[in-house]
Amino acid sequence: MASRSPSAARSAVAAGVWTPARVCQEATPGLDSGDMILQEALDILPSDTTGTLEARLAEVGARLAVEAAHKYAAGGPVEMSEAVWDTQVDQNLKSVFLTCKHVLPQMIERQRGAIVNIASTSGMRWTGAAQVAYAATKAGVIQLSRVVAVQHAAHGIRVNTVSPGPVVTEAYLGVLGISDQLEKLRQTIPLGRLGTIDDIGAAVMFFCSPAASWITGQNLLVAGGRTERSYQ
């Protein structure tokens, strides 16, 4: 996958972008290997750069798309500047809109497709910190996906979201970064561990696979049971 700049939202157009090939093989043995269309990260903001996305989609033919954009900023309405709010909306929500905008025509033409957008448990509930823009944009990703799912179901296109809980990634470690904070977080998870990229990848691959052929407009929580208990 291409390197990722920390300042830009990414659209990852791939069936396996969140997961190693072994997860693709083990989690979804029925997935057609021809559906593994593209495995790279693309910057899609500002919107005038989306020609790159359109060109790559036209080159490979889009049947599966996974969109994963994450940018955190602390604060509520009082503390957060309007500029930070606008940046968060662009990077976390507008990026999803633009991905759908440029992926859907390819899928409509083929009368087939699966889109998986990555949201967050922060878009569903309080998760321990005031990050109002991140929470609002991730809630927006969930609802945007539901609307697109219903609108394009007749075209054979399925649209679902995966909402991860705390996952061990470089970005997440950059937010916490201290071992005792990670341990406190782990203690809030009923299954007793932080998530991994493979955990999220397996959920994404399920939605991309034939096993999910009658599932659309759904949001799958992958959070070790953390959302099923009161926050501590």
Side-chain angles (χ1 to χ4, degrees):
M1 244 173 25
S3 61
R4 298 187 171 194
S5 162
S7 62
R10 278 87 178 173
S11 170
V13 183
V17 68
W18 275 86
T19 176
R22 66 178 177 81
V23 174
C24 301
Q25 295 164 358
E26 293 171 6
T28 56
L31 186 67
D32 181 356
S33 60
D35 284 342
M36 303 296 291
I37 60 167
L38 180 62
Q39 206 165 169
E40 64 185 66
L42 299 173
D43 292 339
I44 62 168
L45 293 176
S47 59
D48 62 2
T49 66
T50 54
T52 302
L53 177 59
E54 288 181 315
R56 290 296 285 132
L57 291 172
E59 179 182 344
V60 300
R63 291 196 296 275
L64 302 173
V66 178
E67 203 291 333
H70 296 275
K71 186 69 175 177
Y72 303 91
V78 175
E79 302 88 359
M80 183 174 291
S81 70
E82 185 175 349
V84 170
W85 170 270
D86 288 344
T87 299
Q88 289 269 283
V89 171
D90 279 351
Q91 294 181 327
N92 293 336
L93 184 55
K94 186 177 180 180
S95 62
V96 178
F97 165 79
L98 289 174
T99 300
C100 290
K101 182 177 183 67
H102 295 286
V103 167
L104 282 166
Q106 302 272 346
M107 294 180 171
I108 292 170
E109 181 179 349
R110 292 167 176 79
Q111 292 292 289
R112 174 189 178 192
I115 297 173
V116 183
N117 292 318
I118 306 300
S120 170
T121 54
S122 295
M124 304 177 62
R125 56 168 288 174
W126 169 265
T127 54
Q131 44 185 5
V132 64
Y134 182 76
T137 53
K138 288 304 181 179
V141 168
I142 295 169
Q143 188 58 24
L144 180 152
S145 300
R146 288 171 176 152
V147 171
V148 176
V150 174
Q151 181 185 11
H152 291 287
H155 298 122
I157 299 168
R158 299 181 295 104
V159 186
N160 294 288
T161 56
V162 172
S163 287
V167 175
V168 181
T169 64
E170 290 184 10
Y172 206 83
L173 292 175
V175 173
L176 295 177
I178 302 174
S179 59
D180 62 342
Q181 289 182 311
L182 291 173
E183 175 58 23
K184 289 178 182 178
L185 183 60
R186 185 194 65 76
Q187 292 175 4
T188 70
I189 301 172
L191 284 180
R193 66 172 177 87
L194 298 176
T196 68
I197 291 178
D198 282 5
D199 292 324
I200 309 309
V204 169
M205 291 306 303
F206 166 70
F207 275 141
C208 289
S209 77
S213 63
W214 207 46
I215 300 174
T216 195
Q218 301 305 303
N219 177 44
L220 178 60
L221 278 67
V222 185
R226 188 171 187 244
T227 58
E228 309 311 315
R229 63 181 295 179
S230 60
Y231 181 77
Q232 294 179 347

